[in-house]
Amino acid sequence: MALFIMRLLILLLFSIAARSLFANTIGTNDSIPSVYFDGELKRQSFPRVDLNYTKYDIYKESDFLGIRYSNNILLNIKKNIKLSSPITFDSKCNIWIKGNGHTISEKRKFDRVKETKVYQATSWDYNESTHICTIKLPQALQKLHISKKDSVYISYELWFVRQKDLVLSAENGFLTFECKSSYKPDAYMRSWTPNPMFFLTYKTKKGIDNGLPTLLSVGDKAIINIENLKLIGSTDCILKNKGIVRLNGCYFTKGNSGAIFSSGSIYINHCTFSNIRNFGIVCDNESYSDICNSRFEAIGLKGTNGACIQSPSKLYVADCTFKNFNYSAIITGNISTDDEKNISISIIERNTMVWNKSWIEKIIGYGLKDSGAIYIGTNNKRAIIRNNTILNFGGHGLNRGIMCDDGSYNLTIYGNVISNTANYYDIDSRECSADVGRKIPKGYAMNTNNFIGYNYCDGKIKAQGASMKNNGCTFIQNHILGEKRMNIENDISNCNAIENAIIYDKRGHINKQGKLHVTN
């Protein structure tokens, strides 16, 4: 009996020690899904921080800053915090921040510049030796008078980018500026934007208020969990991450540049991103991103070619809504690498992407050409785009529902509903050769292993990759709906697919909710 009691006591002491050790490490039964690749993109469990370790109530900024180096601390923010300097979580941190809808924001209201409405140049002239561009102003600006010392900038489109240059002069109905773009303005403006849309930017009477460059910065070994907080402001990104960040129920708004830049791992669920000037979330070549059940609205204000989500690495996006974005909702794929470990892996599924009427009217002036609601770069180890709905997308030229750019390969695109693309193609998969300057890892080839099938569109589809021999591409059973289609051969471009590879329903339409209605 004594031996049995001794063994029981040893077992009990071991259990207590194990629990104590476990409480000071990362790991509970509660988990958040993460992304990894094993043949195809899958999801696994990732442990959360133990929340029963230490708790603090945070009421003011000084308290918040004072404990930023502690381990396993629950920050319970009970009122709004306005920061006078950025918060940095270093590599020792392992922190949970819990709010009740309260705000972390920069201290001052950001008020940088004032802009004119969008105008269109009547004509232009470019001097290749001096790089001086002269545009003829529209009637509404004929009396405009500007000199170089006024520090006025012209923001204009140059094919698929927005360029910003100092105005040298404006008088007698003409405006001049020096074009400092790395692109060839003469060729691109003559071919793509002969009458560029532009607006003017200048300082307000208040001058430039730099505000905070970043609200929160996460170190490379840090783990931070943020729940139910509204994050407002910053002149750069609102959140920069090198570690692991988990966001649930958070709201990002009014970032002058972007919401999140991540070179680590991000796990986002039930979050909202709105009124961001350039981009929502940008990740680098080695990032790890899982973004679900979230909403993106008014991202890419004033004509930037960013995206709500852009990742050249591992990316999972599901069950999100993208409303009134600019250049793209999602950009995946890597266009400039010859390193296999940096090839994109992605699943994009069950998302809705839509523009409303007022946004369309605005974006015609601010928007850019050569875009896609879903934009896929050349290099992909595996990209699956399935069961998404894309409605009313397109600015004033060369816009697609799904854009597979410059010889994209290893694509699987099926079950998507695409309706009312303003111009160009609902799905555009372009044939491309290696001489375009794209870097491709050894053992990979452009326009190979693409499956495009079982999509429902009411516009044209281009699948040039399917015309190449022995490239492993399949192009089948894509439904093109519409009333009384007469020119069937024009509904699919540059593809030698056999006639029965496409099913043309003579009658049918897609409603505003992306629902299909087909009548035989």
Side-chain angles (χ1 to χ4, degrees), residues 101-334:
H102 294 287
T103 296
I104 295 179
S105 66
E106 64 172 289
K107 193 169 186 178
R108 294 163 292 180
K109 181 180 178 182
F110 182 78
D111 188 11
R112 178 181 282 249
V113 293
K114 185 177 180 181
E115 295 151 340
T116 63
K117 67 179 184 178
V118 174
Y119 297 97
Q120 186 168 23
T122 303
S123 64
W124 68 276
D125 180 69
Y126 178 72
N127 187 313
E128 292 190 56
S129 60
T130 64
H131 306 293
I132 300 298
C133 187
T134 301
I135 63 174
K136 185 177 181 181
L137 296 170
Q139 187 63 36
L141 297 179
Q142 286 292 306
K143 296 182 179 179
L144 187 66
H145 181 77
I146 299 173
S147 65
K148 184 177 180 180
K149 66 180 181 180
D150 292 325
S151 299
V152 176
Y153 289 83
I154 180 170
S155 179
Y156 60 98
E157 58 175 334
L158 186 58
W159 191 12
F160 65 96
V161 296
R162 181 155 292 280
Q163 183 76 13
K164 185 178 179 181
D165 290 310
L166 178 66
V167 174
L168 301 178
S169 67
E171 58 185 352
N172 300 322
F174 290 90
L175 182 147
T176 64
F177 60 91
E178 181 181 358
C179 182
K180 296 186 177 181
S181 175
S182 59
Y183 295 98
K184 296 179 179 179
D186 183 46
Y188 285 133
M189 292 183 76
R190 192 176 300 281
S191 301
W192 299 100
T193 52
N195 301 101
M197 311 290 288
F198 70 92
F199 59 89
L200 302 177
T201 301
Y202 56 95
K203 295 180 182 179
T204 64
K205 293 181 180 179
K206 296 179 181 179
I208 296 178
D209 180 359
N210 289 321
L212 294 184
T214 304
L215 293 186
L216 305 178
S217 181
V218 180
D220 59 351
K221 296 181 181 179
I223 299 176
I224 181 170
N225 303 268
I226 305 177
E227 186 172 283
N228 297 329
L229 279 180
K230 188 173 184 179
L231 301 162
I232 302 176
S234 80
T235 59
D236 194 4
C237 293
I238 296 174
L239 170 66
K240 285 190 176 180
N241 170 50
K242 292 184 178 180
I244 298 174
V245 172
R246 305 186 187 97
L247 300 160
N248 186 52
C250 293
Y251 189 97
F252 289 78
T253 187
K254 296 182 181 179
N256 187 61
S257 181
I260 297 175
F261 179 80
S262 178
S263 56
S265 299
I266 54 172
Y267 306 90
I268 296 173
N269 199 23
H270 296 290
C271 291
T272 299
F273 299 80
S274 74
N275 293 292
I276 307 294
R277 189 177 183 89
N278 286 352
F279 58 84
I281 301 168
V282 168
C283 305
D284 72 5
N285 286 336
E286 299 182 4
S287 63
Y288 216 55
S289 308
D290 187 305
I291 305 164
C292 298
N293 305 301
S294 295
R295 183 177 180 86
F296 297 79
E297 184 168 1
I299 309 294
L301 303 172
K302 302 298 183 185
T304 55
N305 62 336
C308 299
I309 301 171
Q310 180 173 352
S311 173
S313 188
K314 297 180 179 67
L315 177 66
Y316 181 81
V317 183
D319 304 303
C320 293
T321 298
F322 301 84
K323 182 179 180 182
N324 297 344
F325 48 92
N326 196 331
Y327 192 68
S328 295
I330 300 172
I331 298 178
T332 185
N334 198 323

Side-chain angles (χ1 to χ4, degrees), residues 40 170 213 280 420 423 458 466 479:
E40 72 172 61
N420 198 28
N423 48 66
D458 60 9
H479 299 248

Side-chain angles (χ1 to χ4, degrees), residues 373-393:
I374 299 177
Y375 194 111
I376 309 170
T378 303
N379 297 317
N380 294 273
K381 185 173 290 186
R382 184 77 179 271
I384 301 174
I385 314 297
R386 62 189 178 195
N387 304 324
N388 300 283
T389 299
I390 301 172
L391 303 174
N392 304 328
F393 177 72

